[in-house]
Amino acid sequence: MSRQSNRATDSKKMNSELFTLTYGALVTQLCKDYENDEEVNKQLDKMGYNIGVRLIEDFLARSSIGRCQDFRETADVIAKVAFKMYLGITPSVTNWSPAGDEFSLILENNPLVDFVELPDNHSALIYSNLLCGVLRGALEMVQMAVDVKFAQDTLRGDSVTEIRMKFIKRIEENLPAGDDQHIYIASVGLNAS
Amino acid sequence: MTVHNLYIFDRNGNCLYYNEWNRKKQAGISKEEEFKLMYGMLFSIRSFVSKMSPLDMKEGFLSFQTSKYRLHYYETPSGLKFVMNTDLSVTNARDTLQHIYSNLYVEFIVKNPVCASTQTLESELFSSRLDAFIRALPYYSPRAA
């Protein structure tokens, strides 16, 4: 997640090794702070979520991409624009479910795990789980509820890293409910008369 | 040529930010009511516009004008709504609103970890930059209108 404060030149890149090592330090600290791997996974997801809900604004502002028409377009934008912009990689989009509501992102090379080996006592740790949270948080902000999880991970002996994404529902926008409803309605009336 | 006022709403209808520059007449209701009236109107006009559209459209409602002012509207895919009222000589303020979003809101609110973007924005930096930006607009002129 290289942060570029100067958008005009867009040349300020963060050293990817520093990024990888910083993320490593973060996960290590979490492993020290929490008793078991499940709890660490949960914390990573939560942190990712909080990053995602802010990152989406930066993404929208920088890419000036409008609303996607369908989930396939969303998948393409995530893989080709978002991953490229923040991690410098372009995962491939595959394994669509017949209903078109589920797909996989295959990461040939995950920059987060460049120097990582999981010790035996952390077999349940989903090391890059932050990414799931980021994706979930970011998509929630554009009215899409999704379920994101790691299906395969090279750290755990799989040949590739696979993130599985499932579309749950569109989050509909409603008028805020409450006692003030009549004020909103009043404006609807004004509008019609 | 002038800018009257600017509203920023979040996707739940909370008014995050309001400021006015050359507004000579007030609505005669409390600010809170005014924000709700504005949001309610935007909400209905948006759904009206998309329901009545004879073709599929990506961006529906952009602006409306009366005999005295023009309301410019810009909504991000994340549901933030930027609303600016100007006089009639300003025909298109889309770039301005986009600039406010990407160069001011994102830079000073979203990237500021102590700024929660769920309540009224209290960032001095954001307010002062925004004010400076509006005052520097080519169509901002306090004497006119």
Side-chain angles (χ1 to χ4, degrees):
Chain A
M1 267 138 260
S2 58
R3 185 189 147 141
Q4 295 153 346
S5 53
N6 189 349
R7 179 169 307 144
T9 56
D10 235 22
S11 61
K12 234 193 253 168
K13 293 261 193 285
M14 182 179 168
N15 181 307
S16 79
E17 288 187 5
L18 175 64
F19 172 60
T20 305
L21 293 172
T22 309
Y23 184 73
L26 173 89
V27 179
T28 313
Q29 188 61 44
L30 283 176
C31 287
K32 280 181 195 149
D33 290 351
Y34 291 93
E35 305 255 306
N36 56 54
D37 291 349
E38 277 79 21
E39 196 55 41
V40 176
N41 295 342
K42 216 186 282 172
Q43 288 301 322
L44 284 172
D45 183 79
K46 205 164 129 191
M47 291 165 103
Y49 176 84
N50 289 329
I51 295 174
V53 296
R54 284 180 184 249
L55 196 67
I56 185 71
E57 304 288 1
D58 181 66
F59 175 74
L60 293 171
R62 245 201 279 175
S63 64
S64 57
I65 281 175
R67 193 177 288 282
C68 292
Q69 295 300 304
D70 56 25
F71 202 42
R72 284 182 185 268
E73 193 185 341
T74 308
D76 267 0
V77 171
I78 291 171
K80 298 198 179 108
V81 190
F83 267 86
K84 182 94 196 119
M85 188 185 287
Y86 294 110
L87 288 175
I89 52 170
T90 310
S92 46
V93 178
T94 52
N95 296 344
W96 278 97
S97 65
D101 63 344
E102 232 181 296
F103 66 90
S104 294
L105 291 167
I106 307 284
L107 285 70
E108 301 278 322
N109 161 29
N110 176 0
L112 290 179
V113 302
D114 273 351
F115 313 110
V116 182
E117 257 177 65
L118 281 191
D120 293 338
N121 59 344
H122 283 295
S123 54
L125 179 68
I126 309 171
Y127 185 82
S128 310
N129 210 31
L130 188 98
L131 293 181
C132 294
V134 173
L135 287 164
R136 188 166 60 86
L139 288 177
E140 188 183 297
M141 293 303 281
V142 287
Q143 284 87 47
M144 253 183 278
V146 289
D147 185 54
V148 191
K149 56 177 185 289
F150 273 88
Q152 296 188 70
D153 193 342
T154 46
L155 283 184
R156 305 211 267 169
D158 299 312
S159 56
V160 288
T161 299
E162 175 183 355
I163 299 176
R164 191 77 182 148
M165 299 192 53
K166 185 180 183 353
F167 178 82
I168 301 171
K169 62 167 183 174
R170 271 194 68 78
I171 304 165
E172 293 297 334
E173 210 176 330
N174 290 314
L175 270 180
D179 300 342
D180 301 321
Q181 198 77 23
H182 65 278
I183 301 178
Y184 295 103
I185 305 297
S187 78
V188 180
L190 284 177
N191 209 19
S193 61
Chain B
M1 294 248 242
T2 192
V3 175
H4 298 308
N5 55 3
L6 176 87
Y7 306 80
I8 302 176
F9 291 99
D10 74 1
R11 60 173 170 165
N12 301 315
N14 303 315
C15 187
L16 298 177
Y17 179 84
Y18 173 79
N19 204 355
E20 57 191 42
W21 287 272
N22 301 301
R23 184 178 181 179
K24 298 206 173 122
K25 179 182 162 293
Q26 295 295 327
I29 48 179
S30 76
K31 274 279 167 291
E32 214 165 272
E33 273 181 305
E34 182 186 315
F35 298 154
K36 281 178 181 154
L37 198 58
M38 175 60 87
Y39 188 79
M41 189 276 297
L42 294 172
F43 190 88
S44 11
I45 208 167
R46 230 167 36 113
S47 80
F48 173 84
V49 163
S50 71
K51 279 203 186 78
M52 292 300 151
S53 171
L55 298 166
D56 265 350
M57 58 183 180
K58 258 196 155 173
E59 302 205 64
F61 170 52
L62 305 174
S63 68
F64 73 70
Q65 70 172 78
T66 71
S67 60
K68 284 291 173 208
Y69 70 97
R70 181 174 279 120
L71 179 143
H72 306 266
Y73 178 72
Y74 171 65
E75 182 179 341
T76 72
S78 54
L80 283 166
K81 295 165 182 70
F82 295 80
V83 183
M84 188 165 83
N85 286 315
T86 67
D87 73 345
L88 294 175
S89 61
V90 184
T91 50
N92 189 346
R94 198 152 188 77
D95 292 346
T96 305
L97 294 178
Q98 244 154 10
H99 181 95
I100 293 173
Y101 171 58
S102 54
N103 292 48
L104 297 168
Y105 185 85
V106 170
E107 292 299 319
F108 299 116
I109 303 297
V110 177
K111 291 188 181 176
N112 181 351
V114 296
C115 265
S117 45
T118 48
Q119 66 230 21
T120 314
L121 304 177
E122 276 157 10
S123 166
E124 286 276 332
L125 184 62
F126 174 75
S127 310
S128 62
R129 291 295 186 96
L130 180 61
D131 188 55
F133 172 70
I134 297 285
R135 284 173 198 280
L137 285 173
Y139 47 78
Y140 178 89
S141 160
R143 272 167 314 219

